Amino acid sequence: METFADYILSEKDFIKKLEIAYYLQKRENIFFDNSVILKAEIARLFIEEMKLDVDKNLVLTACILYACKKNILTNDLNKVNRYAIEGAEYLENLGFDKRFCKICSEVNRYQGSEDREKESDILELVDNFGGLVLNRPERKGYPIDEALNLIEHRNLKGEYNRYLDKFKVFMCLKEGVAA
């Protein structure tokens, strides 16, 4: 019997994959909004243009679903810190394998995983970047150069992300400025 995981992973068309997540959101009330689409599109462009050696379909599916249990209406810091882990548990129930769920749970560093998946590093960058450049109720989005600076010198300070330098080059290419 085909699982939801089989269904969405077998869909290679990016737009159709987004439609599947949209309908899952309507049926299961998962987190899915325009920020998810933006982050997934950034991931898609980053992988393609920088010719990263990763399974693009796997990364895009993870990018679309990793925040499925995110609650934007909570002030509970523990809930904020656990959304990726809770999302990974939910995704496992939908038929995703342990590695896919690990990739999704490693979007942030709250789990404390030592042996991070390379795909997790991509999710981490696009999640941080999208979160910084988008407007929020409490602040306007940061300009791209400031967002990159905050990722490098605050959000990931002292952490190793194998794609950080490539992501900075990618964003500079997109902006038409020197790295």
Side-chain angles (χ1 to χ4, degrees):
M1 185 169 107
E2 185 178 60
T3 65
F4 176 78
D6 296 329
Y7 177 60
I8 195 166
L9 284 168
S10 69
E11 180 55 66
K12 304 301 185 204
D13 183 271
F14 181 62
I15 300 301
K16 289 180 182 171
K17 195 177 286 286
L18 290 171
E19 288 174 358
I20 293 168
Y22 170 77
Y23 287 114
L24 181 66
Q25 184 246 355
K26 293 297 181 192
R27 190 173 138 221
E28 295 288 325
N29 199 30
I30 65 164
F31 179 78
F32 182 80
D33 69 0
N34 289 339
S35 70
V36 173
I37 297 167
L38 172 70
K39 292 172 186 180
E41 179 63 7
I42 292 169
R44 185 184 70 76
L45 291 170
F46 179 49
I47 292 166
E48 289 175 358
E49 293 186 22
M50 299 306 286
K51 298 177 180 22
L52 302 182
D53 184 25
V54 295
D55 180 339
K56 181 174 77 169
N57 183 50
L58 180 79
V59 174
L60 295 180
T61 305
C63 202
I64 292 166
L65 295 173
Y66 77 86
C68 63
K69 289 299 175 181
K70 186 176 185 177
N71 183 347
I72 58 172
L73 300 176
T74 187
N75 290 329
D76 181 354
L77 192 55
N78 187 45
K79 193 81 169 149
V80 171
N81 291 347
R82 289 201 40 80
Y83 83 85
I85 294 167
E86 290 172 0
E89 292 166 356
Y90 172 77
L91 293 170
E92 190 171 354
N93 289 331
L94 294 179
F96 289 95
D97 66 25
K98 295 234 183 263
R99 181 169 180 265
F100 182 90
C101 296
K102 181 178 186 274
I103 290 166
C104 291
S105 71
E106 290 177 339
V107 68
N108 54 43
R109 304 282 172 146
Y110 299 134
Q111 183 178 341
S113 181
E114 293 296 318
D115 188 25
R116 287 175 56 84
E117 301 288 337
K118 61 185 179 179
E119 295 85 357
S120 302
D121 282 355
I122 296 170
L123 293 185
E124 179 179 55
L125 289 169
V126 298
D127 182 62
N128 273 274
F129 183 76
L132 290 168
V133 298
L134 289 171
N135 291 334
R136 293 185 171 183
E138 71 275 10
R139 65 156 173 80
K140 289 187 67 159
Y142 290 96
I144 289 172
D145 59 334
E146 283 184 55
L148 292 172
N149 191 37
L150 286 169
I151 290 170
E152 182 176 14
H153 298 289
R154 183 188 72 186
N155 296 12
L156 296 180
K157 183 178 181 180
E159 302 290 350
Y160 173 70
N161 183 301
R162 75 194 85 211
Y163 296 113
L164 177 59
D165 290 335
K166 285 184 179 183
F167 190 75
K168 292 183 333 190
V169 168
F170 164 72
M171 291 311 303
C172 288
L173 290 171
K174 288 290 172 212
E175 286 295 293
V177 296

